[in-house]
Amino acid sequence: MSLKNLNPRFGILLLFMLVAGIIRVVLGADQSTLQPIAMFTPVGAMALFGGAAFSERWKSFAFPLLTLFLSDVILMQVFHREYAQGLLYKGWAANYISFVFIVLIGQLVIRKMSAGRIAVASVAAALTHFLVSNFGVWISGSTNITTGLPFTRDMAGLTECYILAIPFMKYFLIGTLVYSTIFFGGYAIVARKLRLAH
């Protein structure tokens, strides 16, 4: 079953984006951003879903990234001001670049909705986010949580940054798998109920 051939109602897709943003804010409000469990959020699944479900390319990028941005602003300005640098946080650009790639993964891998494709896309999304966003953490001069000092600007510092990020990647992967199942499965059910499926 092709998601793009379903020609879903625009409002339903926006509702899924809104739900993802709300879940992220609710979960992130009570967790330290330095704890791995904070990565158990729907944002990876949201980006995959946006890439697969929106028929117009600009919407598949615009709405997931806008949802990510708004939830980031709320989390940084309301709940975690100690980590804020301006509106967002140090290294935010690399994080957003990783989500652009995740949307692309959704577009390319989940052309037809199936459990196998969603699982492969989720793993690819977690690896992409891990590699790109943590490179941004390292290059931005962020603090090593074990030493309280910035990561050294060499291969040893980059390697340590990636090693420390492995628990975060694990929760990002689990969250992406769980929420992808909910989003894509829920969408299929709603589409069938509203006779959007052929």
Side-chain angles (χ1 to χ4, degrees):
M1 177 174 59
S2 171
L3 287 175
K4 292 183 172 66
N5 289 338
L6 288 176
N7 191 21
R9 293 180 183 176
F10 184 58
I12 293 173
L13 297 178
L14 286 184
L15 180 61
F16 275 80
M17 296 293 109
L18 178 62
V19 168
I22 291 172
I23 291 172
R24 183 177 187 229
V25 170
V26 169
L27 292 177
D30 293 328
Q31 298 170 357
S32 167
T33 58
L34 296 180
Q35 295 300 315
I37 190 63
M39 295 303 292
F40 184 78
T41 71
V43 290
M46 173 191 69
L48 289 176
F49 182 76
F54 284 103
S55 56
E56 295 180 75
R57 275 182 174 266
W58 74 269
K59 291 179 181 177
S60 68
F61 288 99
F63 289 107
L65 289 172
L66 180 61
T67 303
L68 180 66
F69 174 73
L70 292 176
S71 61
D72 271 345
V73 169
I74 293 170
L75 287 171
M76 289 297 103
Q77 298 302 314
V78 178
F79 299 105
H80 300 297
R81 289 188 62 83
E82 67 273 22
Y83 302 115
Q85 291 200 345
L87 275 181
L88 299 177
Y89 44 85
K90 187 180 283 189
W92 66 268
N95 194 43
Y96 279 69
I97 290 169
S98 77
F99 278 94
V100 168
F101 283 122
I102 294 172
V103 171
L104 280 171
I105 291 168
Q107 290 177 345
L108 297 173
V109 178
I110 315 178
R111 293 177 184 232
K112 291 186 177 180
M113 189 169 61
S114 70
R117 287 176 180 268
I118 292 168
V120 168
S122 296
V123 172
L127 287 172
T128 299
H129 182 264
F130 172 74
L131 293 172
V132 177
S133 67
N134 288 295
F135 182 82
V137 168
W138 172 74
I139 202 72
S140 68
S142 292
T143 302
N144 182 330
I145 59 175
T146 62
T147 65
L149 301 171
F151 287 102
T152 57
R153 294 297 185 88
D154 53 19
M155 188 56 66
L158 179 59
T159 301
E160 187 173 14
C161 182
Y162 279 125
I163 290 172
L164 289 174
I166 290 173
F168 294 86
M169 183 190 72
K170 180 180 74 173
Y171 280 102
F172 187 90
L173 172 60
I174 295 169
T176 302
L177 286 167
V178 169
Y179 286 109
S180 287
T181 301
I182 294 170
F183 286 174
F184 285 97
Y187 179 83
I189 292 169
V190 170
R192 202 170 295 119
K193 292 280 187 183
L194 296 179
R195 300 173 185 261
L196 294 174
H198 296 297

